[in-house]
Amino acid sequence: MKSTGIVRKVDELGRIVIPMEIRKNFDISPKDSLEIYVEGDNIILRKYEVKYQCAICGNSEVKIAIKGKSICEECLSELTNK
C-alpha cells in the first residue's frame, strides 16, 4: 500500500474529506459511490461501479464494453455519429 503522507481528521459525524488530488487521480466525482472494505487492520475505499450498466446514461441494456466501461447501443450510436 502506497502512503500519500496526507492525514485527515474524522468529524463528529464520522466523515472524512478525500483530498481533491486523490479524487482526481481516481476519477471520483460528487455523488459517486465508494465501496468500503476491511482487510486486517486496514480500511480500503474503492470507487463502486455497477457492472453491465452504461457508463454514460445508466441504461442496463449494455451493447459493448471498452476499457472496463460499458456502453449501451443508443450512446454508442451517438458517439459514432459525431
Side-chain angles (χ1 to χ4, degrees):
M1 197 173 334
K2 183 179 174 184
S3 174
T4 63
I6 300 170
V7 177
R8 293 285 193 231
K9 290 190 178 191
V10 177
D11 73 7
E12 300 81 26
L13 296 175
R15 299 175 297 196
I16 60 167
V17 174
I18 301 171
M20 184 175 16
E21 178 181 313
I22 292 174
R23 294 191 318 262
K24 283 183 180 180
N25 286 341
F26 288 92
D27 192 29
I28 298 171
S29 302
K31 308 280 184 180
D32 281 349
S33 296
L34 300 178
E35 290 183 277
I36 303 170
Y37 295 91
V38 176
E39 190 174 288
D41 62 350
N42 296 307
I43 300 169
I44 301 167
L45 299 176
R46 181 179 297 169
K47 185 174 177 180
Y48 177 73
E49 294 188 28
V50 178
K51 295 185 188 260
Y52 309 114
Q53 184 176 17
C54 181
I56 299 170
C57 71
N59 186 340
S60 61
E61 295 181 26
V62 173
K63 174 76 173 176
I64 189 169
I66 301 171
K67 295 188 177 185
K69 302 289 183 186
S70 301
I71 301 175
C72 71
E73 190 168 355
E74 187 177 328
C75 290
L76 182 61
S77 175
E78 285 187 40
L79 289 170
T80 56
N81 289 333
K82 291 186 178 186

